[in-house]
Amino acid sequence: MGNYRNGLPSKADWKDPEFISYAQELHLVNAQSGIRNRLDWQKVMVLKVLNEKGLINPGSMILNIAGGTDVINYYLASRINKLITIDLYDNSWESCPEDMVTNPWKYAPFDYKRENLIAMRMDARNLLFERDTFDAVLIIDSLNYMGDFEQVVSIISDVHRVLKKGGILILTVEFTFEPVPSGELYFTNESLMDFLSRIPFLLEHNPILDAREFAHEDRANPVLPPRTIKHPTAIRARTIGVRPGLLKRKFPYFRILRPRLFPLLLVLLSDK
């Protein structure tokens, strides 16, 4: 597959020897089996970037925002100086347990260097770190759910503050070629360009984000499961003003309330 690139998944990624090797090291069963899982792709691509930037080394300081109990925390803790993962850690969902702060080893999928991993209860909107602390910051599959557009821009600006000169921000975000419903923060070509123009980072490589090119390269539906949500007919019927009974016989669930989403990898360079 060659060097990493900003952009969307390709079916060829799952056949790449380096991709498979990382999947094995992370114990990602789906990826090892050739099952194209969206989150597995994001984790492996993040590691590829860190490796190609020379940041998986004993001197690196890396921050994982909204890191939960992610396997990447444990993988990097054994290979760098310090991995700090922050999240709400309030038991609000399975991957955000309260005791992660005191007992991160409890959720480790394999042995790791315990002294190199610190889990902290912290809101991404208020990073309590000194300036120029980290060599890299990771935000994997979570930026779209951290607030509205203005809040997300503010978060990324604060990330810039805690990065060292020459540091990198690795993002994976939800991207769509379709219209975005009001109130949802999913990136389109237009909103992505607006976002990039308002943050103090430089995009290293321009991603290919053309729907026709995407389809031409046989990338349609490259990642399973799709990020769509099933809604009972009654809910959808009320939304469009149709009696539920008219739809329920053939369509017990709808999957059309959200656009089809793809994970987009972005590697951003600090402009310090």
Side-chain angles (χ1 to χ4, degrees):
M1 181 167 55
N3 293 338
Y4 81 88
R5 73 276 180 271
N6 288 323
L8 302 165
S10 168
K11 290 180 179 180
D13 293 340
W14 278 264
K15 299 178 182 179
D16 173 59
E18 186 180 4
F19 185 99
I20 295 170
S21 176
Y22 275 125
Q24 291 171 343
E25 292 185 59
L26 292 176
H27 297 191
L28 302 178
V29 177
N30 285 331
Q32 293 180 62
S33 303
I35 299 173
R36 300 187 300 278
N37 179 280
R38 60 184 296 114
L39 192 52
D40 288 356
W41 180 84
Q42 294 171 73
K43 294 175 182 179
V44 171
M45 296 305 292
V46 165
L47 290 185
K48 281 176 62 66
V49 174
L50 289 173
N51 181 53
E52 291 170 22
K53 291 294 184 182
L55 290 172
I56 303 181
N57 70 70
S60 290
M61 290 276 293
I62 296 178
L63 173 64
N64 190 10
I65 294 179
T69 58
D70 200 299
V71 63
I72 279 183
N73 296 330
Y74 303 99
Y75 178 88
L76 291 174
S78 291
R79 294 165 173 81
I80 66 174
N81 178 26
K82 200 71 67 180
L83 187 289
I84 298 179
T85 176
I86 67 167
D87 214 318
L88 297 179
Y89 293 123
D90 57 1
N91 291 329
S92 54
W93 59 91
E94 185 179 358
S95 63
C96 195
E98 191 175 64
D99 61 349
M100 176 68 179
V101 175
T102 53
N103 302 311
W105 52 267
K106 178 179 176 181
Y107 302 96
F110 41 69
D111 291 335
Y112 71 101
K113 292 183 179 179
R114 296 189 181 187
E115 67 275 16
N116 292 354
L117 174 60
I118 299 174
M120 303 177 68
R121 187 173 294 110
M122 190 181 301
D123 193 316
R125 294 168 293 185
N126 184 25
L127 298 179
L128 303 177
F129 300 107
E130 298 293 330
R131 299 181 65 90
D132 305 323
T133 299
F134 298 101
D135 298 288
V137 174
L138 318 177
I139 306 180
I140 305 171
D141 196 42
S142 57
L143 186 69
N144 297 75
Y145 311 103
M146 290 183 179
D148 59 27
F149 190 84
E150 296 299 329
Q151 289 173 318
V152 164
V153 169
S154 177
I155 288 170
I156 298 304
S157 296
D158 202 26
V159 166
H160 180 266
R161 177 184 63 83
V162 303
L163 271 174
K164 296 177 182 177
K165 182 177 181 180
I168 65 170
L169 167 61
I170 307 175
L171 283 175
T172 62
V173 299
E174 301 282 21
F175 181 85
T176 183
F177 295 109
E178 303 169 22
V180 176
S182 176
E184 300 281 7
L185 181 60
Y186 304 133
F187 287 101
T188 61
N189 268 306
E190 182 178 355
S191 62
L192 180 63
M193 293 304 105
D194 185 21
F195 171 71
L196 292 174
S197 72
R198 296 176 61 182
I199 60 175
F201 285 90
L202 304 173
L203 186 64
E204 186 168 28
H205 303 293
N206 289 323
I208 297 175
L209 298 177
D210 183 274
R212 293 168 297 180
E213 182 76 13
F214 191 72
H216 177 70
E217 293 189 10
D218 195 28
R219 294 179 178 176
N221 190 24
V223 182
L224 301 174
R227 182 61 64 84
T228 54
I229 291 182
K230 291 184 177 181
H231 292 268
T233 296
I235 295 176
R236 179 58 183 170
R238 284 195 297 271
T239 303
I240 62 177
V242 177
R243 286 190 294 125
L246 297 177
L247 301 175
K248 190 173 182 180
R249 288 189 297 274
K250 289 187 178 182
F251 307 104
Y253 288 92
F254 282 83
R255 297 177 58 194
I256 58 176
L257 291 186
R258 284 189 174 183
R260 183 159 186 78
L261 304 173
F262 298 90
L264 171 65
L265 174 72
L266 297 172
V267 180
L268 302 170
L269 308 179
S270 169
D271 65 358
K272 293 182 180 179

